[in-house]
């Protein structure tokens, strides 16, 4: 059974949206670990789809937890310095969601580009394609 670690530290709505990735991996037989900030951990604490739930207190602690879990894949839904650092220090393969940060900012600040109606959940699920 393949092992995946999902990283989504915050915020509440985004952590809840990550449940779509949990469901997709679970349906395909993956063993799933999830790492989030302590205040959001109760969302998944009783979730049978999650085999390991890690609470993010520090990068050092998280690195140790990731090494102990030894995932085959890391699914980075946070895509910030901390999550990129953590995934880079692991031997696991990594996929990241496309947050379209640059495109969104150019559109918002300068009205450059075109508005694409694509949900966060769709972006997350598209990032899973390399996992099959």
């Amino acid at each position: 059974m393949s092992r995946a670690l999902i990283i989504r530290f915050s915020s509440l709505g985004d952590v809840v949206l990550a449940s779509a990735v949990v469901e997709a991996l679970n349906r395909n037989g993956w063993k799933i670990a999830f790492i989030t900030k302590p205040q959001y951990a109760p969302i998944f604490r009783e979730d049978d789809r999650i085999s390991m739930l890690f609470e993010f207190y520090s990068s050092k602690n998280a690195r140790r937890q990731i090494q102990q879990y030894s995932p085959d894949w890391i699914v980075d839904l946070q895509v910030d310095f901390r999550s990129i650092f953590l995934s880079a220090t692991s031997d696991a393969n990594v996929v990241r969601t496309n947050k379209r940060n640059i495109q969104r900012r150019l559109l918002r600040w300068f009205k450059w580009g075109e508005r694409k109606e694509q949900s966060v959940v769709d972006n997350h699920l598209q990032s899973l394609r390399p996992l099959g």
Side-chain angles (χ1 to χ4, degrees):
M1 180 181 292
S2 297
R3 299 160 67 95
L5 170 75
I6 300 170
I7 300 174
R8 185 65 217 196
F9 301 126
S10 62
S11 297
L12 178 60
D14 293 321
V15 173
V16 170
L17 289 175
S19 64
V21 172
V22 171
E23 179 61 22
L25 291 173
N26 182 64
R27 282 189 181 178
N28 287 286
W30 287 73
K31 185 173 182 182
I32 304 165
F34 198 99
I35 187 165
T36 191
K37 288 184 176 179
Q39 61 264 39
Y40 306 116
I43 295 169
F44 292 111
R45 192 160 285 132
E46 301 297 323
D47 193 328
D48 294 337
R49 301 171 299 177
I50 306 287
S51 61
M52 298 289 293
L53 180 62
F54 303 122
E55 296 181 13
F56 181 83
Y57 291 103
S58 69
S59 292
K60 182 179 178 180
N61 183 46
R63 272 188 20 203
R64 183 180 48 76
Q65 291 173 326
I66 292 169
Q67 287 172 347
Q68 286 176 347
Y69 182 68
S70 187
D72 299 307
W73 286 86
I74 293 177
V75 180
D76 183 359
L77 302 181
Q78 188 70 39
V79 192
D80 68 3
F81 177 77
R82 293 169 304 179
S83 66
I84 292 169
F85 171 76
L86 287 173
S87 58
T89 60
S90 169
D91 291 334
N93 298 302
V94 180
V95 292
R96 290 189 173 84
T97 192
N98 181 1
K99 294 172 81 173
R100 302 183 338 250
N101 287 337
I102 294 172
Q103 295 95 328
R104 286 189 336 223
R105 282 175 177 76
L106 288 173
L107 183 62
R108 183 173 177 207
W109 295 339
F110 304 109
K111 308 298 186 237
W112 292 344
E114 59 183 87
R115 185 176 180 90
K116 294 182 180 178
E117 296 298 326
Q118 188 170 17
S119 74
V120 172
V121 171
D122 289 339
N123 287 336
H124 289 348
L125 294 175
Q126 284 182 4
S127 72
L128 298 179
R129 287 186 182 185
L131 283 73

